[in-house]
Amino acid sequence: MNILVLVSGNGTNLQALIDAHYSSIITAGICAVISDRPGIYALERARAAGIPALTEEPDKGLSKEQRRIEHSKRILERARNYKADLIILAGYLSILQGELLQEYMGRIINIHPSLLPKYGGQGMYGERVHRAVLDAREKESGCTVHLVDQGTDTGPILLQRKVPVLAGDTAESLAQRIHKEEYIAIVEAAVLMVQRLDKDTEKGN
Ligand code: GRF
């Protein structure tokens, strides 16, 4: 089984997946890593692990809608070429749409650094999420891994991990606490999905 990982940043979640693969916790292989911007550290991590790493930048000359459709098409072509069974969005900031979502329905997962449905949706990423949690004086936050559907951060939830929000927390300290849980969550979710897809294959679906 092949996993395609999409990234936009540092790639610490990608690293958790790579490490889990090399310690045989995740039995499927990572067939490729694709970023939506050049020069990010996640690409280095992939290359250091001997995984094909490439960039598919959204075309800034197109309208927002067209840009998303065209970019998603290129990702779909790559996914087909690499014979990906599962796609993991490990800190991917571009929004995917169209045929890719149909063809890979139930086989694309995303990790988000809050307890969805709270603090999700367009524009809710990075520090903004944690700031919003602190501004609302929440007692707890965490991370969510969910299946990707047509919406942003709206698909069925696979699993969540919680952390407390502590007195004196900054967006940065909260993000760090959540990050540690993300590494566990993303690996657990990948294992779960590989098992699920394996079962589907046995049933001949
Ligand atoms: C994580 O917080 C993830 O939840 C969010 O983007 C961040 C990616 O971090 N979607 P990294 O690139 O894996 O270090």
Side-chain angles (χ1 to χ4, degrees):
M1 193 166 296
N2 287 324
I3 303 175
L4 172 65
V5 184
L6 306 186
V7 289
S8 299
N10 186 1
T12 56
N13 279 284
L14 166 67
Q15 192 65 55
L17 293 168
I18 293 172
D19 294 346
H21 171 69
Y22 282 107
S23 49
S24 302
I25 295 168
I26 298 174
T27 51
I30 302 173
C31 55
V33 170
I34 303 179
S35 78
D36 60 357
R37 59 206 69 196
I40 58 167
Y41 193 58
L43 294 169
E44 298 301 319
R45 293 179 189 273
R47 289 188 188 118
I51 301 167
L54 51 121
T55 300
E56 286 290 1
E57 274 188 275
D59 183 343
K60 293 190 185 82
L62 299 173
S63 69
K64 197 198 241 183
E65 186 77 359
Q66 277 310 309
R67 182 165 68 229
R68 287 177 180 172
I69 288 172
E70 191 270 341
H71 176 249
S72 301
K73 248 187 205 164
R74 274 189 279 136
I75 300 291
L76 175 58
E77 276 165 29
R78 295 284 190 187
R80 285 175 178 157
N81 289 343
Y82 282 111
K83 302 198 184 329
D85 301 290
L86 171 65
I87 300 177
I88 301 183
L89 312 187
Y92 198 57
L93 292 177
S94 294
I95 293 174
L96 300 169
Q97 282 188 346
E99 214 186 329
L100 171 67
L101 298 189
Q102 304 302 322
E103 193 164 320
Y104 277 86
M105 200 196 300
R107 296 189 292 149
I108 310 180
I109 61 173
N110 177 49
I111 183 149
H112 184 80
S114 77
L115 296 173
L116 291 175
K118 283 182 158 185
Y119 309 106
Q122 290 198 26
M124 268 297 184
Y125 59 86
E127 238 186 67
R128 293 185 196 184
V129 178
H130 308 300
R131 283 233 182 86
V133 168
L134 292 174
D135 287 349
R137 297 176 195 277
E138 295 282 1
K139 294 267 178 301
E140 60 179 15
S141 189
C143 62
T144 304
V145 183
H146 65 94
L147 289 163
V148 172
D149 66 5
Q150 306 286 344
T152 304
D153 301 327
T154 52
I157 291 172
L158 274 179
L159 58 95
Q160 293 186 309
R161 292 185 69 86
K162 292 181 182 174
V163 302
V165 176
L166 303 178
D169 254 340
T170 59
E172 201 183 330
S173 64
L174 182 56
Q176 274 175 13
R177 195 171 309 124
I178 292 173
H179 249 119
K180 288 191 190 134
E181 299 305 315
E182 288 188 44
Y183 308 145
I184 301 170
I186 201 159
V187 169
E188 273 183 15
V191 169
L192 199 80
M193 287 301 294
V194 169
Q195 284 170 352
R196 198 182 268 189
L197 296 174
D198 261 341
K199 268 191 205 142
D200 287 352
T201 315
E202 276 166 28
K203 279 190 228 148
N205 292 339

